[in-house]
Amino acid sequence: MTVTEYDSLFIGGRWSKPSTNKVISVMSPSTGLHLGAVPEAVETDVDRAVRAARTAFDSASGWSTWEPARRAAAMVRLADALDARKEEMATRVSAQNGMPISVAGPFEATVPAGLLRYYAGVLQDAHFEEQRQGLPIGTTLVRREPLGVVAAIVPWNFPQVLAFFKMAPALAAGCTLVLKPSPETVLDSYLLAEAIAEAGLPEGVINIVPGGRATGAYLVSHPGVDKVSFTGSTAAGRQIAAACGQLLRPVTLELGGKSAAIILDDADLPGSVDQLFAASLLNNGQTCFASTRILAPRSRYDEVVDFYTTMAESATVGDALDPATQVGPLVSSRQRDRVESYIAKGLNEGARLTAGGARPVGLETGWFVEPTVFADVDNASTIAQEEIFGPVLSIIRYDGDNDAVSIANDSAYGLGGTVWSADPNRALGIAKRIRTGTIGLNGYLPDLTSPYGGMKASGLGRELGPEGLAAFQQFQSIYHP
């Protein structure tokens, strides 16, 4: 990938000069080389972006007043513009965050356009007004209105997918947005801006302010924002929830996870290799819903350990842009240090290392960590309770289905999870007992048509599906005596 430098911000539908000379530099996690730079948005830039979004929402002919069919047509145009850039989008994301290019193609380059078209279709059947017979007398017109200006704050691990978890339903609802991408993945947001301009969305409907925590904190508390939608760590989510609570501002939080993969005693491991790999090690383990706690029945424990050990040792580790790579680098040296510190904690707490645990030989210039498997893990240990966000799996024994459910639920988190069995009805029965927002049977991916989100420390609210549209709407009741 060639070095890409930008000197402008996309605010109000046009490229504008930033308020300062501050820049965000992006480094390749595969090579450590410089990939590019963009301006860093500061408070003055955020003010301009929110003002542009406010104007686009409040004006008499603004986005919020458009008929649903007209909004849907504009969303489809944006989907087409993204499709025209899909290969470059996949390359930029992969080069920035270490996501294998084989993953970036079907996710980062494909899902955003799919979500835009899905919500454009939802608009065709959506009803924004309903007449109700009142009690005891009269009638009431119940209206669904767009919430207003949305602050959308997205992480680096799936930057485009998670941006459109927010943007597609918000646009469909009639909201306008200020998008803050993570500083680790900003180059792809400029490709998005080019697509927005080409699609002819009205000025100010989507504004992009690259920045770090200070930029995000200022945006969250900005008086011109009506709703915050955030994906990221639970620690940051708690701070955002506190700020929004003080402001009585609606907020959706999709936070961390420590999901369990329950391997039942009749599971077909050899026949599920690809699905098991994807459920636990997708995107180098830098996935919030990843099933990184592997719960194995005592009767098959050694077999499960051997299976995951072989799977980890046979995975192809390499440059994220190599199509053969299954596990790429971590996003940054800081993230690698974090993952390595958890590996050290696992060893210190008595877990048995069966695969990985070190930096791969021959890949010294990037932020690589070998796919790592720990056996003999106590569910109360640090590596079983805290989110590591890297290719580290912990295998935990259980005795019987009830014990498996108890261990799976013994977590501060509740975002994803999986159950593996040859008996679909048995697996379903187990899945229904897990305190988690989403769970898969013999495989897992979020369904774009169904609500996605977490319980407990994994967040508040839901994204995707019709429920994702409702998250950007508010009710107004008009009473007629």
Side-chain angles (χ1 to χ4, degrees), residues 188-334:
D188 53 296
S189 71
Y190 277 74
L191 208 58
L192 168 61
E194 293 173 10
I196 293 167
E198 181 181 297
L201 266 65
E203 296 179 356
V205 170
I206 303 175
N207 309 271
I208 302 175
V209 288
R213 293 181 180 179
T215 303
Y218 184 71
L219 176 60
V220 163
S221 298
H222 198 286
V225 167
D226 300 301
K227 156 95 180 189
V228 175
S229 185
F230 169 80
T231 300
S233 72
T234 296
R238 292 186 194 279
Q239 296 176 349
I240 291 170
C244 290
Q246 183 67 32
L247 295 165
L248 299 180
R249 178 167 295 169
V251 60
T252 298
L253 302 171
E254 196 269 276
L255 307 176
K258 193 68 181 181
S259 302
I262 301 177
I263 312 294
L264 295 181
D265 52 22
D266 63 348
D268 177 13
L269 298 180
S272 307
V273 175
D274 292 342
Q275 295 91 336
L276 286 160
F277 183 93
S280 58
L281 291 172
L282 180 71
N283 193 20
N284 319 326
Q286 298 177 140
T287 305
C288 50
F289 58 72
S291 294
T292 54
R293 286 188 299 148
I294 313 302
L295 277 53
R298 187 175 297 275
S299 62
R300 298 183 64 186
Y301 188 80
D302 291 342
E303 177 191 351
V304 172
V305 170
D306 289 345
F307 174 85
Y308 275 95
T309 299
T310 299
M311 185 175 74
E313 291 178 339
S314 62
T316 301
V317 181
D319 191 306
L321 293 175
D322 185 341
T325 292
Q326 294 174 284
V327 177
L330 300 176
V331 69
S332 64
S333 60
R334 182 178 63 182

Side-chain angles (χ1 to χ4, degrees), residues 239-441:
Q239 296 176 349
I240 291 170
C244 290
Q246 183 67 32
L247 295 165
L248 299 180
R249 178 167 295 169
V251 60
T252 298
L253 302 171
E254 196 269 276
L255 307 176
K258 193 68 181 181
S259 302
I262 301 177
I263 312 294
L264 295 181
D265 52 22
D266 63 348
D268 177 13
L269 298 180
S272 307
V273 175
D274 292 342
Q275 295 91 336
L276 286 160
F277 183 93
S280 58
L281 291 172
L282 180 71
N283 193 20
N284 319 326
Q286 298 177 140
T287 305
C288 50
F289 58 72
S291 294
T292 54
R293 286 188 299 148
I294 313 302
L295 277 53
R298 187 175 297 275
S299 62
R300 298 183 64 186
Y301 188 80
D302 291 342
E303 177 191 351
V304 172
V305 170
D306 289 345
F307 174 85
Y308 275 95
T309 299
T310 299
M311 185 175 74
E313 291 178 339
S314 62
T316 301
V317 181
D319 191 306
L321 293 175
D322 185 341
T325 292
Q326 294 174 284
V327 177
L330 300 176
V331 69
S332 64
S333 60
R334 182 178 63 182
Q335 184 65 14
R336 182 177 65 177
D337 291 346
R338 170 186 166 86
V339 171
E340 289 179 333
S341 74
Y342 275 104
I343 293 172
K345 288 178 183 178
L347 292 170
N348 290 336
E349 292 180 353
R352 175 165 57 94
L353 185 69
T354 68
R359 300 178 184 182
V361 176
L363 294 171
E364 290 81 8
T365 57
W367 316 129
F368 294 91
V369 172
E370 293 174 331
T372 298
V373 177
F374 281 105
D376 302 334
V377 177
D378 188 321
N379 192 58
S381 67
T382 302
I383 60 171
Q385 287 294 318
E386 296 185 11
E387 184 177 41
I388 298 174
F389 226 61
V392 180
L393 307 180
S394 299
I395 307 182
I396 302 164
R397 287 183 181 84
Y398 72 83
D399 295 295
D401 292 358
N402 289 339
D403 191 35
V405 170
S406 177
I407 294 171
N409 286 333
D410 183 15
S411 172
Y413 298 103
L415 182 59
T418 49
V419 182
W420 304 83
S421 173
D423 183 344
N425 290 328
R426 182 186 176 199
L428 178 60
I430 295 290
K432 288 180 177 180
R433 298 171 62 190
I434 308 304
R435 293 284 297 162
T436 187
T438 64
I439 192 164
L441 307 181

Side-chain angles (χ1 to χ4, degrees), residues 131-141 478-481:
Q131 194 78 36
R132 297 183 185 178
Q133 181 62 47
L135 284 175
I137 61 173
T139 61
T140 298
L141 178 66
I478 302 176
Y479 172 69
H480 299 270

